């Protein structure tokens, strides 16, 4: 049985240029890396941490001689191979291949996808890709709006030797409490997808709300000195007054012209003006037609692309469900050809498809699921980005069309006015009337600009109100979700506490507080753990307590599907601080017990220089017994 998320390492390969200096297979359940002190066991675990997405810059001398690390993993049952270059600089990218390690070695580089460590507007990070495959939501810590990464998740899955024993998390210099609390809540399953999606939308809508508010403030500052209410009713009233005055003035101009001009020459002049006005009108009509055509084309493209994005989203959902369907249905066989309905002969060759005879070795569809999921997700991201650009262009074209239409209306009015002018009156009177007409026209143009601002203010006010209502609605929903998640978190804490208590009670009789322990308190934000309120113990007992926390968390996740812990743990502290052999052996046997009691896929990897005799077996061990002369990494140090 498999809970999601589940992460299992299947193979670890370390390269020095093209040479493999470490290459071992891993298996589900307990994996023991054994060897003498200083034989490189921790180096191997650091390579695992780094290969899975951890950020590591403090390498050992022998590790810095290596060039890259590849990790074959099973992510929720799907095979993938991860590869990273080794560097002293943090934030290195990752390459991901959808398939096992052997297939990745044969595949061309075009089948690998390279992801940066950090996300950007146009590219997603490898943490986003891995979270999507694991089914872990992309969570953002509220402090500094920091996105959770695969590195942060691994800090609660890897108990390394260099971190303080008093700390729950792997040590990191910049480590805000809210970030740790968010990681803990996420792995405890107390972070609902709906809550995450709501918080993402709240951030987006809040950003939009701030932008709209800023635009409103700018517009109102431009027109705020007029002393008039900037409403569409006021605009219409002003427009009516101007139109009435322009009509009166036009009548006066026509009368003056009839009195002034009386001849063929006057008619000729008037006709010339009419021709110019007509040409202007026709030019504007052509521009309007061209802009409208462009706008309609982009609108159609947007509608078509929306349908395409929806189809990609449905495809992504279907791909995510593919491995689950295949797991429960198994191999599908046809008794009759689905095309011509002829009977299909049973074949004894199980290495090929009984229908199309394609070799299963050359068509491992399950190994392609990872690549298809990530490729589809990238298409969705790119298509969404292009849609945003198209909508921006559509908005510009709408504004341009509005301006051209206003110009066309003005030109049409000018032409109509010219066609009504046979003659004029006195020159001086006519000039005075024309100056007033020009002044009124300018007023009208200003009013039209103000009308556009007023309409924009109205639209922005409506948008701001709708955004505020949506933000309030989302926050109310999240209040309800957080209340339910609080209950989930309490349940997760109690399940983890019960497993830790079982481990402490089964420890050797070395720490009286462990024998009589009634409760365990742990705080992710404060980064500490205590037993019945006590946190000071001997060094070896603190090793047992911290190891028990990691193993207890792991055990609780194996028994409860709601945890988002990936049922994966690395422990490298079972022998720190003067740990005696018998006590280490006892804890190792408890690791084996937790694994045996688990009914779901899981993996725990630990290192030891004094393996319990009961576990010194190929069913548990990885590789040979390493020594200082026969190091884990096949590089001889001078």
């Amino acid at each position: 049985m498999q809970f999601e998320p589940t992460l299992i390492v299947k193979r670890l390969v370390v390269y020095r240029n093209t040479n493999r200096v470490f290459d071992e297979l891993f298996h589900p359940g307990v994996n023991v890396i054994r060897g003498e002190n200083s034989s490189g066991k921790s180096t191997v675990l650091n390579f695992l941490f780094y290969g899975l997405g951890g950020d590591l810059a403090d390498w050992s001398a022998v590790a810095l001689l290596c060039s890259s690390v590849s990790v074959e993993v099973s992510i929720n049952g799907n095979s993938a191979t991860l590869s990273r270059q080794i560097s002293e600089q943090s934030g290195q990218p990752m390459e991901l291949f959808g398939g096992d390690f052997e297939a990745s070695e044969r595949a061309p580089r075009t089948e690998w996808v390279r992801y940066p460590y950090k996300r950007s507007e146009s590219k997603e990070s490898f943490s986003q890709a891995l979270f999507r495959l694991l089914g872990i939501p992309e969570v953002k810590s509220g402090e500094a709006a920091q996105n959770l990464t695969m590195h942060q998740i691994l800090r609660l899955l890897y108990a390394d030797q260099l971190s303080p024993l008093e700390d729950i998390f792997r040590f990191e210099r910049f480590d805000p409490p809210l970030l740790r609390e968010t990681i803990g809540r996420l792995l405890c399953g107390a972070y609902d997808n709906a809550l995450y999606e709501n918080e993402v939308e709240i951030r987006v809508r809040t950003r939009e709300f701030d932008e709209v508010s800023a635009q409103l403030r700018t517009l109102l500052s431009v027109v705020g000195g007029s002393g008039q209410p900037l409403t569409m009713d006021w605009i219409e009233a002003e427009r009516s007054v101007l139109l009435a005055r322009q009509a009166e003035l036009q009548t006066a101009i026509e009368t003056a012209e009839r009195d002034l001009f009386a001849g063929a020459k006057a008619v000729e002049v008037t006709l010339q003006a009419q021709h110019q006005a007509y040409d202007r009108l026709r030019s504007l009509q052509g521009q309007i037609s061209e802009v409208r055509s462009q706008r309609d084309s982009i609108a159609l493209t947007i509608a078509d692309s929306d349908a395409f994005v929806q189809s990609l989203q449905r495809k992504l959902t279907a791909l995510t469900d593919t491995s689950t369907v295949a797991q429960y249905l198994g191999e599908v066989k046809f008794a009759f050809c689905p095309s011509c309905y002829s009977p299909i002969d049973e074949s004894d060759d199980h290495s090929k498809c009984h229908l199309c005879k394609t070799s299963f070795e050359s068509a491992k569809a399950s190994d392609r699921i990872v690549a298809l999921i990530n490729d589809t997700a990238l298409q969705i991201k790119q298509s969404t980005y292009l849609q945003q650009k198209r909508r921006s262009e559509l908005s510009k074209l709408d504004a341009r069309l509005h301006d051209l239409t206003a110009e066309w209306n003005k030109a049409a009015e000018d032409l109509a006015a010219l066609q009504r002018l046979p003659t004029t009156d006195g020159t001086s009177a006519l000039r005075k009337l024309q100056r007033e007409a020009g002044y009124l026209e300018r007023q009208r143009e200003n009013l039209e600009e103000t009308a556009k601002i007023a309409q924009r203010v109205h639209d922005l006010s409506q948008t701001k109100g709708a955004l505020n209502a949506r933000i309030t609605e989302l926050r109310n929903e999240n209040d309800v979700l957080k209340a339910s998640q609080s209950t989930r978190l309490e349940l997760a804490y109690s399940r983890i506490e019960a497993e830790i208590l079982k481990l402490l009670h089964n420890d050797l009789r070395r720490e009286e507080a462990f024998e009589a322990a009634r409760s365990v308190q742990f705080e992710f934000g404060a980064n500490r753990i205590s037993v019945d309120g006590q946190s000071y113990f001997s060094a070896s007992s603190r090793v047992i307590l911290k190891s028990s926390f990691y193993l207890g968390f792991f055990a609780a996740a194996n028994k409860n599907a709601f945890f988002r812990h990936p049922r994966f743990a690395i422990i490298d502290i079972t022998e720190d601080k003067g740990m005696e052999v018998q006590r280490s052996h006892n804890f190792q046997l408890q690791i084996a017990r937790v694994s045996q009691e688990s009914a779901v896929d899981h993996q725990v990897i630990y290192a030891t220089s004094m393996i319990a005799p009961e576990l010194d077996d190929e069913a548990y061990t990885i590789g040979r017994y390493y020594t200082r002369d026969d190091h884990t990494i096949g590089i001889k140090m001078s």
Side-chain angles (χ1 to χ4, degrees):
M1 185 167 61
Q2 178 180 280
F3 289 160
E4 292 188 2
T6 294
L7 172 66
I8 293 177
V9 172
K10 299 169 71 175
R11 188 171 184 174
L12 174 66
V13 182
V14 181
Y15 290 91
R16 185 183 189 189
N17 300 321
T18 58
N19 298 321
R20 300 181 191 177
V21 294
F22 183 87
D23 185 356
E24 291 294 346
L25 297 174
F26 290 73
H27 49 258
V30 178
N31 294 255
V32 188
I33 299 174
R34 65 209 192 284
E36 296 176 352
N37 290 332
S38 301
S39 61
K41 302 185 298 297
S42 296
T43 300
V44 171
L45 297 185
N46 280 339
F47 276 131
L48 267 178
F49 170 76
Y50 181 75
L52 293 173
D55 199 21
L56 189 66
D58 188 16
W59 296 96
S60 65
V62 69
L64 285 175
L65 296 176
C66 303
S67 56
S68 66
V69 56
S70 293
V71 187
E72 179 187 341
V73 294
S74 173
I75 302 177
N76 292 349
N78 297 318
S79 292
T81 302
L82 318 177
S83 179
R84 297 182 79 187
Q85 296 295 313
I86 295 167
S87 172
E88 290 185 273
Q89 294 183 341
S90 61
Q92 293 299 306
M94 174 187 288
E95 291 185 292
L96 191 150
F97 173 80
D100 60 30
F101 174 78
E102 293 296 339
S104 75
E105 288 285 277
R106 299 189 299 268
R109 299 310 298 178
T110 53
E111 294 190 19
W112 288 78
V113 181
R114 184 180 177 86
Y115 294 94
Y117 183 82
K118 294 182 178 180
R119 68 180 70 189
S120 64
E121 183 178 347
S122 59
K123 291 184 179 180
E124 67 176 7
S125 66
F126 66 72
S127 292
Q128 288 177 279
L130 293 175
F131 283 177
R132 180 171 54 249
L133 296 173
L134 286 163
I136 294 176
E138 293 179 44
V139 180
K140 181 174 286 189
S141 171
E143 190 163 327
Q146 182 174 1
N147 293 297
L148 290 197
T149 62
M150 196 66 189
H151 166 75
Q152 297 294 353
I153 298 298
L154 289 168
R155 290 181 60 213
L156 199 50
L157 305 179
Y158 178 25
D160 69 309
Q161 288 188 348
L162 299 182
S163 297
L165 290 175
E166 296 78 12
D167 294 350
I168 294 176
F169 284 82
R170 187 177 186 275
F171 176 75
E172 193 165 279
R173 290 190 182 279
F174 179 72
D175 193 17
L178 184 56
L179 176 62
R180 293 193 299 266
E181 184 67 28
T182 303
I183 298 168
R185 291 174 66 92
L186 174 64
L187 295 193
C188 284
Y191 203 100
D192 192 274
N193 271 325
L195 178 61
Y196 164 70
E197 291 167 0
N198 285 354
E199 289 194 349
V200 169
E201 187 176 351
I202 287 173
R203 288 196 297 272
V204 172
R205 302 300 174 217
T206 301
R207 197 159 51 241
E208 292 176 359
F209 182 87
D210 292 340
E211 291 173 359
V212 168
S213 298
Q215 292 179 47
L216 270 174
R217 284 194 299 270
T218 301
L219 290 175
L220 292 174
S221 68
V222 170
V223 297
S226 65
Q228 298 293 339
L230 195 63
T231 64
M232 295 308 298
D233 290 339
W234 177 81
I235 295 290
E236 287 301 323
E238 288 294 302
R239 184 183 286 126
S240 298
V241 171
L242 280 174
L243 288 174
R245 178 55 186 151
Q246 281 185 312
E248 293 174 2
L249 196 58
Q250 183 61 34
T251 301
I253 290 174
E254 291 174 4
T255 301
E257 287 181 342
R258 280 196 297 268
D259 294 341
L260 181 63
F261 293 98
K265 184 177 181 180
V267 174
E268 182 179 349
V269 172
T270 301
L271 290 177
Q272 182 181 3
Q274 289 179 17
H275 289 319
Q276 291 175 345
Y278 177 74
D279 290 341
R280 170 65 174 160
L281 190 67
R282 188 172 58 180
S283 172
L284 288 170
Q285 183 65 48
Q287 293 179 53
I288 288 172
S289 177
E290 181 181 353
V291 172
R292 183 177 285 117
S293 176
Q294 293 176 5
R295 185 198 63 179
D296 292 345
S297 175
I298 289 181
L300 288 173
T301 302
I302 289 173
D304 185 58
S305 296
D306 280 340
F308 177 64
V309 170
Q310 290 174 6
S311 70
L312 287 177
Q313 290 170 337
R314 290 193 295 271
K315 178 182 177 182
L316 184 61
T317 301
L319 284 171
T320 305
D321 295 337
T322 297
S323 59
T324 304
V325 173
Q327 177 183 352
Y328 285 99
L329 290 182
E331 181 185 357
V332 177
K333 290 191 175 182
F334 293 87
F336 298 92
C337 175
S339 178
C340 66
Y341 305 108
S342 300
I344 297 175
D345 295 332
E346 186 69 26
S347 173
D348 295 329
D349 189 354
H350 298 292
S351 66
K352 297 181 178 179
C353 173
H354 79 289
L355 184 61
C356 68
K357 311 306 179 187
T358 300
S359 171
F360 287 133
E361 183 64 28
S362 62
K364 292 183 177 179
S366 62
D367 286 350
R368 314 308 301 156
I369 292 176
V370 170
L372 287 171
I373 289 174
N374 285 327
D375 183 60
T376 303
L378 286 174
Q379 289 187 60
I380 292 174
K381 187 178 184 69
Q382 292 166 358
S383 298
T384 303
Y385 177 70
L386 290 175
Q387 284 292 79
Q388 292 173 349
K389 294 182 66 177
R390 292 189 187 107
R391 288 191 169 92
S392 176
E393 182 64 24
L394 183 64
S395 178
K396 293 178 182 178
L397 288 173
D398 282 334
R400 176 62 177 155
L401 187 60
H402 179 275
D403 292 341
L404 286 173
T405 302
E407 288 185 50
W408 186 91
N409 289 331
K410 174 63 172 57
E413 292 176 3
D414 291 344
L415 178 60
L418 287 170
Q419 289 172 338
R420 293 195 300 268
L421 293 178
T423 59
T424 61
D425 196 11
T427 303
S428 61
L430 180 60
R431 287 176 180 173
K432 182 179 180 181
L433 291 172
Q434 287 175 337
R435 282 197 300 271
E436 187 178 355
Y439 174 72
L440 286 177
E441 184 57 35
R442 182 58 183 167
Q443 278 189 306
R444 184 176 172 186
E445 289 175 358
N446 290 339
L447 185 64
E448 292 303 325
E449 290 298 320
T450 305
K452 285 197 286 187
I453 295 175
Q455 185 62 50
R456 182 62 176 157
V457 168
H458 177 268
D459 293 343
L460 288 173
S461 298
Q462 293 289 326
T463 302
K464 183 178 178 180
L467 287 171
N468 186 59
R470 180 58 179 161
I471 291 170
T472 301
E473 178 186 359
L474 290 170
R475 285 175 175 164
N476 289 338
E477 288 180 9
N478 279 3
D479 288 341
V480 175
L481 288 171
K482 287 176 181 177
S484 64
Q485 287 183 10
S486 178
T487 303
R488 172 72 62 82
L489 190 63
E490 290 178 8
L491 178 61
Y493 275 34
S494 66
R495 299 290 168 84
I496 295 171
E497 180 188 26
E499 296 295 336
I500 297 174
L501 284 172
K502 186 186 299 184
L503 292 166
L504 296 180
H505 292 160
N506 286 324
D507 182 32
L508 294 185
R509 298 186 61 187
R510 299 294 186 273
E511 187 67 55
E512 185 177 350
F514 291 177
E515 294 179 55
R518 295 188 302 275
S519 65
V520 175
Q521 302 81 36
F522 53 91
E523 300 176 56
F524 294 112
N527 200 19
R528 64 189 180 192
I529 183 172
S530 59
V531 178
D532 293 329
Q534 181 182 349
S535 57
Y536 183 82
F537 304 102
S538 67
S540 59
S541 291
R542 277 181 280 169
V543 169
I544 291 294
L545 180 58
K546 183 170 181 175
S547 299
S548 296
F549 172 81
Y550 274 77
L551 187 59
F553 200 167
F554 171 81
N558 288 346
K559 295 178 181 179
N560 299 274
F562 67 83
F563 278 83
R564 283 207 174 91
H565 188 291
R567 284 82 194 176
F568 174 81
I570 303 175
I571 300 176
D572 193 26
I573 57 172
T574 56
E575 293 156 19
D576 282 6
K577 312 301 179 187
M579 177 67 65
E580 59 182 300
V581 175
Q582 293 84 353
R583 201 174 187 187
S584 175
H585 286 177
N586 181 70
F587 188 79
Q588 293 176 49
L589 293 177
Q590 293 208 64
I591 294 176
R593 173 187 61 77
V594 167
S595 176
Q596 291 164 2
E597 290 178 355
S598 175
V600 299
D601 294 342
H602 64 278
Q603 187 177 54
V604 57
I605 302 170
Y606 75 91
T608 179
S609 63
M610 41 191 180
I611 186 171
E614 297 88 339
L615 303 182
D616 196 3
D617 184 274
E618 290 183 355
Y620 300 104
T621 57
I622 299 297
R624 63 186 183 277
Y625 183 88
Y626 301 105
T627 65
R628 291 188 64 184
D629 296 326
D630 191 7
H631 201 270
T632 57
I633 307 301
I635 299 176
K636 295 294 184 181
M637 297 291 290
S638 59

